[in-house]
């Protein structure tokens, strides 16, 4: 297992290195030049030269890349000249909202999806399985923006149970102090994720129920409930470990629709605004952050899967 961990960590480091190269290249593909993108189309040549000298852009590309890596190691993701703010501080302000909304949404999806998927596996091809499948397919196939608008129309406009938007001055941990405002954005994230998780749980549960060790346990007289709890549940939940690892980048991006509909400032919305305003440092900084989250999520999923599944641990 140690060799597997070392090999996967080394692969992750290589991928991160390649990601930084790609983002560095994209930084130099900005229209005109980085100086032109920051100073504007009417900047004079002396201003451009002064900007290049101040930011080390007059050096050779390999030296510029080393400087870029040094900045990344120290947490410098760039500077937004349009917002007059560092990209790191901008992300730090917005990421808390994403962690709250998307994090609670994923936890809620797991709490519902695991028992529902397991129940479908046990009651395969029965009425409850068909009903749950139909409901989950509706949620999975409905676009997030439409789902969010439907939730607003039903629970905020028609029945007036929950507010339709989060006040703009309520951000960060203050969101937790007003749970009613979190219900609709969290549901918008959770329902689609719930449908995905439950389908994986159902398929995995059906597969585990046909395994020899399940028949052996039943042959020894172990009760059906104990077989489900002790043998099927743990093993059928393993694919969700991979899904959770792959869901790590969504902490920064999956809330975009919910942020737009419910007036929540998050990283996804910040990226969208940066694209619209052509704020390249913010775009590239968030792109790098999401790419790093993807690599870390894959690595964490692989390591967790190996530690939880003895068969995979033996092969590795």
């Amino acid at each position: 297992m140690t060799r597997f961990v070392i090999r996967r960590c080394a692969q992750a480091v290589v991928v991160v290195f390649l990601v930084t190269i790609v983002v560095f290249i994209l930084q130099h593909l900005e229209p005109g030049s980085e100086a032109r993108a920051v100073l504007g189309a009417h900047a004079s040549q002396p201003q451009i030269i002064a900007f290049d000298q101040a930011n080390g852009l007059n050096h050779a590309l390999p030296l510029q890349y080393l400087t870029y890596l040094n900045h990344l190691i120290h947490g410098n993701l760039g500077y937004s000249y349009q917002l007059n703010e560092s990209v790191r501080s901008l992300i730090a302000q917005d990421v808390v909202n994403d962690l709250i909304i998307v994090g609670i949404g994923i936890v809620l999806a797991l709490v519902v999806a695991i028992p529902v998927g397991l129940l479908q596996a046990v009651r395969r091809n029965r009425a409850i399985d068909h009903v749950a499948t139909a409901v989950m397919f509706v949620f999975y196939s409905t676009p997030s923006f439409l789902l969010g608008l439907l939730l607003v129309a039903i629970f905020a406009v028609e029945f007036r149970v929950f507010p339709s938007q989060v006040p703009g001055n309520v951000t960060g941990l203050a969101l937790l102090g007003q749970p009613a405002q979190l219900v609709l954005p969290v549901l918008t994230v959770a329902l689609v994720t719930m449908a995905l998780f439950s389908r994986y749980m159902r398929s995995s549960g059906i597969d585990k129920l046909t395994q020899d060790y399940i028949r052996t346990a039943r042959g020894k007289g172990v009760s059906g409930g104990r077989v489900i709890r002790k043998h099927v549940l743990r093993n059928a939940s393993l694919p969700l470990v991979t899904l959770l690892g792959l869901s790590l980048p969504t902490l920064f991006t999956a809330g975009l629709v919910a942020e737009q509909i419910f007036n929540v400032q998050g990283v996804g919305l910040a990226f969208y605004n940066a694209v619209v305003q052509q704020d390249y440092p913010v775009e590239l900084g968030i792109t790098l952050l999401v790419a790093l989250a993807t690599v870390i999520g894959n690595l964490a999923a692989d390591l967790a899967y190996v530690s939880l599944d003895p068969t995979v641990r033996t092969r590795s």
Side-chain angles (χ1 to χ4, degrees):
M1 181 177 174
T2 303
R3 291 177 60 187
F4 174 81
V5 172
I6 294 174
R7 185 169 66 250
R8 285 296 291 115
C9 290
Q11 291 173 352
V13 171
V14 172
V15 173
V16 169
F17 176 72
L18 295 176
V19 166
T20 60
I21 292 178
V22 172
V23 175
F24 175 76
I25 294 173
L26 290 175
Q27 192 176 47
H28 285 266
L29 293 179
E30 296 174 2
S33 65
E34 184 176 349
R36 222 26 118 173
V38 171
L39 300 177
H42 300 290
S44 63
Q45 191 62 30
Q47 290 176 319
I48 294 176
I49 294 175
F51 181 89
D52 289 343
Q53 291 177 344
N55 292 275
L57 299 177
N58 57 330
H59 299 146
L61 283 179
L63 184 57
Q64 290 186 43
Y65 176 70
L66 292 178
T67 303
Y68 174 71
L69 279 183
N70 182 58
H71 289 167
L72 291 182
I73 293 173
H74 290 85
N76 183 359
L77 296 175
Y79 191 85
S80 172
Y81 292 91
Q82 294 189 19
L83 300 176
N84 195 28
E85 186 177 9
S86 69
V87 176
R88 182 177 65 178
S89 62
L90 179 67
I91 293 175
Q93 293 170 11
D94 296 338
V95 74
V96 179
N97 297 339
D98 289 309
L99 293 176
I100 291 174
I101 293 176
V102 182
I104 295 176
I106 291 177
V107 171
L108 177 61
L110 283 173
V111 170
V112 176
I114 290 177
V116 169
L118 197 58
L119 178 62
Q120 287 183 266
V122 174
R123 304 296 183 186
R124 181 186 181 187
N125 294 331
R126 298 185 184 181
I128 191 170
D129 181 28
H130 295 311
V131 172
T133 297
V135 172
M136 292 304 173
F137 270 134
V138 169
F139 288 145
Y140 187 69
S141 60
T142 303
S144 297
F145 72 89
L146 178 58
L147 184 60
L149 293 176
L150 288 174
L151 292 175
V152 170
I154 296 172
F155 295 104
V157 178
E158 184 66 25
F159 295 105
R160 299 184 179 181
V161 179
F162 303 111
S164 60
Q165 285 191 334
V166 177
N169 59 344
V170 180
T171 58
L173 297 179
L175 286 172
L176 296 176
Q178 304 184 36
Q181 298 174 351
L182 286 175
V183 172
L184 295 185
V186 166
L187 281 179
T188 301
V189 174
L191 289 177
V192 176
T193 309
M194 182 191 308
L196 176 64
F197 286 172
S198 68
R199 298 309 297 167
Y200 272 87
M201 190 66 188
R202 178 184 181 274
S203 300
S204 181
I206 291 174
D207 177 65
K208 300 308 177 186
L209 285 169
T210 62
Q211 299 298 315
D212 292 337
Y213 63 85
I214 299 297
R215 288 192 289 269
T216 301
R218 286 174 173 168
K220 290 181 177 179
V222 180
S223 64
R226 185 176 178 83
V227 168
I228 298 299
R229 292 192 304 272
K230 297 295 184 179
H231 299 284
V232 178
L233 177 59
R234 175 179 177 178
N235 293 296
S237 300
L238 288 176
L240 296 184
V241 173
T242 302
L243 286 179
L244 286 175
L246 297 177
S247 297
L248 183 60
T250 65
L251 290 175
F252 308 102
T253 58
L256 172 59
V257 174
E259 293 163 9
Q260 182 69 38
I261 295 176
F262 300 103
N263 189 37
V264 180
Q265 181 61 46
V267 175
L269 189 58
F271 182 82
Y272 172 78
N273 292 333
V275 172
V276 173
Q277 300 167 6
Q278 297 183 346
D279 194 345
Y280 300 112
V282 176
E283 289 182 53
L284 296 177
I286 295 177
T287 298
L288 178 63
L289 178 65
V290 173
L292 292 178
T294 303
V295 175
I296 294 173
N298 277 273
L299 176 62
D302 287 345
L303 298 182
Y305 205 102
V306 169
S307 63
L308 292 174
D309 191 339
T311 60
V312 176
R313 183 163 62 247
T314 302
R315 290 196 300 268
S316 64

